[in-house]
Amino acid sequence: MPATASLTHAWVPLVANGDETWFNNPAVQRAFWPGVWETLAMTGLSTLFTVIIGLPLGLVLIATGRGGLFTNKPLHQVLAFIVNFGRSIPFLILMIAIIPFTRLVAGSSIGWKAAVVPLTVAAIPFFARLVETAVRSVDDGKIEAAQMMGATRGQIMRDVQVREALPAIIDAITVLAITLIGYGAMAGALGGGGLGQLAMNYGYNRFMPDVMVLAVIGVYVIVQIVQMVGDMCSRLVDHR
């Protein structure tokens, strides 16, 4: 079977020769860079989908809570229960439990594309709470000043709360992305692709410590890059 761009279907010998280690190892040569790409792709897409859904959810949580712009106790309690319930489920259990839903959405339960579904489902409640915390830190005096100037509640939410909390929200997105990298590595143990699956299939199951070390280094480098980019973006939007 020829090598392909997908780690799930990449072929490598079962056992490498004694001199085929590190970057001479066929497992590394044929599967490492596809594993990096799959890790980046699943992290990027799941982060994007989580922000699209989790950001409004976090804003609704803070707006409907006590003293919020749109106080609605029943709605707030329902959303808070859903968020807390979602956060309480361990990721591996969640990934297994929603396999039928994953197949419905992605057409498969294996591969990095399928892993995006449970990653997003698991991360939405986590990120919503991060957004709620970030927005709650905005000075009440700025909100009161906007109200005195005649700003609508929608304008206050958009132009005061979100704008003032933007550095903290970007920090939350950075934390989210790094968390998803770790979740994605766990997903690799169940056929989720990426460097996690590379480490499991070859580093652990086929006793190739060089592959395991390189997979760990790959994840570490990705995390460091994400953290640096997130810190830089946060500083750029922080005008305090």
Side-chain angles (χ1 to χ4, degrees), residues 75-134:
L75 177 59
H76 179 79
Q77 289 179 335
V78 170
L79 292 178
F81 172 80
I82 294 173
V83 167
N84 291 337
F85 179 76
R87 291 179 63 195
S88 68
I89 304 175
F91 174 68
L92 286 179
I93 295 176
L94 174 67
M95 187 175 180
I96 296 171
I98 66 170
I99 283 178
F101 177 69
T102 300
R103 286 176 179 159
L104 178 66
V105 174
S108 174
S109 61
I110 61 173
W112 71 266
K113 293 180 182 179
V116 170
V117 178
L119 286 173
T120 302
V121 172
I124 286 172
F126 169 71
F127 182 66
R129 283 301 188 190
L130 292 180
V131 171
E132 182 186 19
T133 301

Side-chain angles (χ1 to χ4, degrees), residues 58-229:
L59 292 175
V60 172
L61 279 171
I62 193 72
T64 57
R66 181 181 299 178
L69 296 171
F70 301 89
T71 303
N72 187 322
K73 186 176 180 180
L75 177 59
H76 179 79
Q77 289 179 335
V78 170
L79 292 178
F81 172 80
I82 294 173
V83 167
N84 291 337
F85 179 76
R87 291 179 63 195
S88 68
I89 304 175
F91 174 68
L92 286 179
I93 295 176
L94 174 67
M95 187 175 180
I96 296 171
I98 66 170
I99 283 178
F101 177 69
T102 300
R103 286 176 179 159
L104 178 66
V105 174
S108 174
S109 61
I110 61 173
W112 71 266
K113 293 180 182 179
V116 170
V117 178
L119 286 173
T120 302
V121 172
I124 286 172
F126 169 71
F127 182 66
R129 283 301 188 190
L130 292 180
V131 171
E132 182 186 19
T133 301
V135 174
R136 185 177 286 121
S137 66
V138 175
D139 187 1
D140 290 337
K142 295 182 179 180
I143 297 175
E144 293 172 359
Q147 289 173 330
M148 292 178 62
M149 295 174 63
T152 65
R153 290 179 292 182
Q155 290 174 328
I156 293 173
M157 180 181 292
R158 182 184 67 249
D159 297 332
V160 178
Q161 290 183 318
V162 173
R163 184 174 180 180
E164 291 296 322
L166 191 56
I169 292 174
I170 291 177
D171 288 337
I173 294 173
T174 303
V175 172
L176 167 69
I178 292 174
T179 301
L180 286 172
I181 293 171
Y183 281 180
M186 287 190 286
L190 297 178
L195 290 172
Q197 184 170 334
L198 175 67
M200 176 62 69
N201 286 355
Y202 303 111
Y204 180 77
N205 290 336
R206 301 186 184 181
F207 306 104
M208 297 179 181
D210 53 323
V211 178
M212 179 70 76
V213 171
L214 288 174
V216 171
I217 293 174
V219 171
Y220 171 79
V221 171
I222 293 173
V223 167
Q224 292 304 307
I225 292 174
V226 170
Q227 186 66 60
M228 287 190 296
V229 172

